[in-house]
Amino acid sequence: MIKTLKKSFAKPFKRRTMAIYITSFIVFLAATGILLYQGTKKTVALTLDGKEQVVTTHASTIQDLLQNLKISVSKNDYLYPAGDTKITDKTEVTWKPAKEITVIDGSVKKAIWTTKDTVGEFLEEQKIQLRNEDKVSSSLDTTIKNDMDVSIERAFPLQVVDGGKPTQVWSTSATVADFLKQQGINMQPLDRVEPSLETQIKPNSVVNVVRVQKVTDVVEEPVKYKVISQKDSSLPRGNEKVVTEGKEGLVSNQYEIIKENGKEVKKSLKATKVVRASQDKVVAVGTKVINDTVSRGEATGGRELTVTATAYTAFCNGCSGLTATGFDLRNNPNAKIIAVDPSVIPLGTKVYVEGYGYAIAADTGGAIKGNKIDIFFSSKSRAYQWGRKQVKIRIL
């Protein structure tokens, strides 16, 4: 009975033990397989759109690896190494997706794919050259985003003349006002610009900035004196005598002067102040009439001389019209005046000249020396008619 029971218990125990052994062996094989599987993976360092990570993989190529990671690579993306490159342990892979940018350069519009990080790098990649004066819609250090627009406004040449000084410049300004602001040109209240501030600027235009100044200038200027004639019956007709000498006055004139680009264009008298008053010159003019005829007794009286007599007028070359005694021959054409040598006939002497009549010795001359006289006539024809002759004169 006991033997029978032992046999009945021994069979199930053996079966359980066998099952445990088999299960353990299977687990061991599975664990070993897993370890072997994991141990055959390769380590790859990835930089995906700027983010770094490390993965282990059984993928044979970089393209397989990216597909496993559900990363779709387009032909415009940056991928290094190439997709068909075999993966080895510690392979480094960099992938950067391309972004589409619309470039508007003047009238040209174009869509371009790029993997550059900034606008400046993109322009350099596309070999798009810029002048310092050109304008870009985004700064060069702006990070590029997908579907981004980049507009380029090209500068054009023009000339600015500031205060008369011309300069060649480049600008993107639309109006004259914008241009002056861009160039840092400040306008003063009196300044003006040609053309007007609202005018649209075109290439090769000329913008003329006229600098206007208004200044005040004070100038002292002389004032000529007046000559006043007074009749004097005690003086022979044709004789003059200075009663009061004239003196020039002085005034201070204040002028407003307008200058454009440093040159005077307008001058206006704004105020006058008398610094010193002028003094009129007063001249006594003789009105006493001396008869041209005398009695025989008068004509024969006095000292008689024989002289060489020539003739002159008040308008001869080098003549001023004033005698040595200050008599104005031009204003007194009917006067009877002779020029003499004062050492022979004193000035102021009354004489009677043969063929001429009574006269006053009131003038001198460089060529009148000794027994020579020069007779005044009002016209050249009468002076030429007299010519040069020997005459007798009487000193009265």
Side-chain angles (χ1 to χ4, degrees):
M1 183 68 178
I2 295 173
K3 288 182 180 180
T4 302
L5 289 173
K6 286 183 178 180
K7 287 180 179 180
S8 61
F9 280 110
K11 290 180 179 180
F13 178 79
K14 288 181 179 179
R15 286 196 295 269
R16 283 196 298 271
T17 302
M18 183 61 67
I20 291 171
Y21 285 153
I22 292 172
T23 301
S24 298
F25 182 72
I26 292 171
V27 171
F28 171 77
L29 289 177
T32 302
I34 292 172
L35 291 174
L36 289 173
Y37 180 80
Q38 293 295 332
T40 58
K41 284 186 176 181
K42 303 175 187 70
T43 301
V44 179
L46 295 173
T47 302
L48 304 177
D49 198 12
K51 298 179 180 179
E52 297 180 353
Q53 67 181 85
V54 177
V55 298
T56 57
T57 182
H58 279 109
S60 59
T61 65
I62 292 175
Q63 184 174 355
D64 294 337
L65 171 62
L66 295 177
Q67 287 178 350
N68 293 338
L69 295 174
K70 297 181 180 181
I71 295 174
S72 177
V73 180
S74 74
K75 63 180 180 179
N76 297 308
D77 294 348
Y78 175 82
L79 179 62
Y80 183 83
D84 57 358
T85 302
K86 298 293 183 178
I87 293 178
T88 61
D89 195 34
K90 298 183 179 179
T91 295
E92 294 183 1
V93 178
T94 301
W95 170 73
K96 182 183 292 185
K99 299 178 180 68
E100 187 178 29
I101 295 179
T102 300
V103 178
I104 305 169
D105 191 353
S107 61
V108 179
K109 184 176 182 181
K110 186 177 182 181
I112 301 174
W113 288 89
T114 183
T115 58
K116 295 298 180 180
D117 294 323
T118 65
V119 172
E121 292 173 353
F122 166 72
L123 295 176
E124 185 177 357
E125 175 193 50
Q126 299 299 317
K127 297 182 180 179
I128 298 176
Q129 297 182 347
L130 299 174
R131 296 185 62 89
N132 292 334
E133 297 82 5
D134 294 340
K135 282 187 177 180
V136 182
S137 57
S138 302
S139 62
L140 298 183
D141 58 357
T142 300
T143 300
I144 287 180
K145 297 179 181 179
N146 199 33
D147 296 327
M148 181 179 185
D149 289 344
V150 176
S151 298
I152 302 173
E153 188 176 0
R154 296 291 183 176
F156 51 83
L158 68 157
Q159 187 181 65
V160 57
V161 182
D162 188 356
K165 298 178 180 179
T167 305
Q168 192 76 20
V169 297
W170 291 75
S171 176
T172 57
S173 299
T175 65
V176 172
D178 292 337
F179 169 72
L180 296 178
K181 184 177 180 181
Q182 183 190 66
Q183 297 296 317
I185 298 175
N186 296 318
M187 298 283 291
Q188 300 302 317
L190 296 178
D191 295 341
R192 70 174 189 275
V193 62
E194 302 165 350
S196 63
L197 294 173
E198 300 78 18
T199 303
Q200 295 289 320
I201 292 182
K202 298 180 180 179
N204 300 312
S205 299
V206 177
V207 177
N208 185 23
V209 179
V210 181
R211 299 298 184 178
V212 182
Q213 292 177 293
K214 182 186 291 185
V215 298
T216 300
D217 190 17
V218 178
V219 180
E220 290 189 346
E221 299 176 344
V223 179
K224 292 184 177 181
Y225 56 80
K226 296 179 181 179
V227 178
I228 299 176
S229 299
Q230 296 179 345
K231 294 181 180 180
D232 190 337
S233 59
S234 65
L235 289 176
R237 182 178 179 181
N239 285 12
E240 293 183 353
K241 180 181 179 182
V242 177
V243 178
T244 305
E245 291 290 348
K247 293 183 179 179
E248 284 189 341
L250 188 66
V251 296
S252 175
N253 290 329
Q254 179 178 313
Y255 294 95
E256 181 183 83
I257 298 175
I258 305 298
K259 293 183 178 181
E260 293 184 357
N261 297 336
K263 295 182 179 179
E264 182 179 313
V265 296
K266 185 178 180 181
K267 184 176 182 179
S268 305
L269 179 62
K270 294 301 181 181
T272 298
K273 180 181 179 181
V274 177
V275 178
R276 182 179 67 247
S278 60
Q279 179 177 298
D280 295 338
K281 180 179 181 179
V282 180
V283 180
V285 179
T287 60
K288 184 177 180 181
V289 179
I290 300 177
N291 293 330
D292 197 28
T293 59
V294 296
S295 65
R296 181 177 296 178
E298 289 175 327
T300 58
R303 183 163 61 94
E304 185 179 273
L305 295 174
T306 299
V307 297
T308 300
T310 55
Y312 73 104
T313 69
F315 297 94
C316 61
N317 291 333
C319 296
S320 65
L322 296 176
T323 69
T325 58
F327 185 75
D328 190 346
L329 296 175
R330 294 180 181 178
N331 290 327
N332 297 279
N334 296 320
K336 294 285 189 173
I337 300 293
I338 64 171
V340 299
D341 181 349
S343 65
V344 177
I345 302 174
L347 290 174
T349 300
K350 296 178 182 180
V351 298
Y352 180 81
V353 181
E354 182 182 8
Y356 183 69
Y358 287 98
I360 301 295
D363 205 355
T364 61
I368 308 304
K369 301 295 182 184
N371 286 7
K372 292 182 179 181
I373 64 171
D374 208 4
I375 298 174
F376 169 70
F377 287 99
S378 60
S379 66
K380 288 184 179 180
S381 60
R382 291 185 65 191
Y384 289 143
Q385 186 179 3
W386 176 270
R388 182 187 182 92
K389 62 179 71 175
Q390 297 286 324
V391 297
K392 292 182 178 181
I393 67 173
R394 287 187 182 276
I395 300 174
L396 305 177

